[in-house]
Amino acid sequence: MATMFGRFEIQSELSKSETALIYKAMDTETNQVVALKTQSLEPLDERAAAFVDTLIAEGESTRDLAGQNIVLLYGAGEIDGQFCAAMEYIQGNSVATMLARKEGFSIWDLLDITRQVCAGWSRLPRKVWPIVRWNPPRSWCSGMGWLKSSATASPT
């Protein structure tokens, strides 16, 4: 017998934190696999309604965002005393999972992770940059693909 949570049929647990659970679930109304994030509202007591309203408003404000590193938010609301958000499910391992399993990374994994981080970084609003900026050694690729360091060369 499948575990049901509102209209969602829970298939497996993807992630767990102190405040939330994320499941792989089937939306029985749309027959679509989703990532379902749930958070208990019980600890919030009388602030729960305002919390749900704020999260729903924030979710609505992201509807126009699109990008390779942004999942779609299908819907959000309260089910059985839990705040729930149904999002696009993407199959794959997280970096944290790969590190925990001590699987190691191929050069292709590292290139893909770097590409995704850089793509996300380039989309940050400029007002956030001073908060997250650091000063690593500068490196760049020359026209021939050789990596040069700012300590030994200047850009061509």
Side-chain angles (χ1 to χ4, degrees):
M1 170 74 56
T3 302
M4 295 297 292
F5 189 78
R7 72 187 214 194
F8 299 97
E9 179 182 318
I10 305 301
Q11 295 180 347
S12 63
E13 183 179 294
L14 298 175
S15 182
K16 184 179 192 176
S17 73
E18 293 178 18
T19 60
L21 288 166
I22 301 176
Y23 299 103
K24 177 181 178 183
M26 174 67 72
D27 183 338
T28 58
E29 289 184 10
T30 63
N31 287 326
Q32 186 171 19
V33 175
V34 299
L36 181 68
K37 182 174 184 174
T38 64
Q39 182 165 356
S40 175
L41 298 173
E42 187 178 327
L44 299 173
D45 296 323
E46 67 277 349
R47 299 173 301 170
F51 176 76
V52 169
D53 291 343
T54 300
L55 289 179
I56 290 174
E58 287 177 0
E60 289 294 324
S61 70
T62 66
R63 291 239 181 235
D64 295 332
L65 295 178
Q68 178 180 342
N69 297 317
I70 300 174
V71 296
L72 298 173
L73 175 65
Y74 297 130
E78 186 178 345
I79 302 175
D80 300 332
Q82 302 265 342
F83 174 77
C84 301
M87 300 168 279
E88 177 182 14
Y89 173 74
I90 298 174
Q91 179 69 40
N93 287 329
S94 69
V95 172
T97 300
M98 293 175 77
L99 287 171
R101 291 181 185 164
K102 297 183 173 137
E103 294 176 352
F105 297 95
S106 71
I107 187 66
W108 305 113
D109 292 333
L110 295 172
L111 287 170
D112 190 46
I113 292 166
T114 303
R115 181 189 50 75
Q116 291 180 46
V117 168
C118 290
W121 182 266
S122 70
R123 290 182 181 94
L124 282 176
R126 286 199 177 266
K127 66 182 179 182
V128 177
W129 288 9
I131 298 169
V132 294
R133 184 180 296 162
W134 74 96
N135 194 13
R138 295 181 186 174
S139 300
W140 60 90
C141 289
S142 70
M144 297 299 292
W146 297 101
L147 189 63
K148 296 181 180 182
S149 170
S150 61
T152 60
S154 59
T156 55

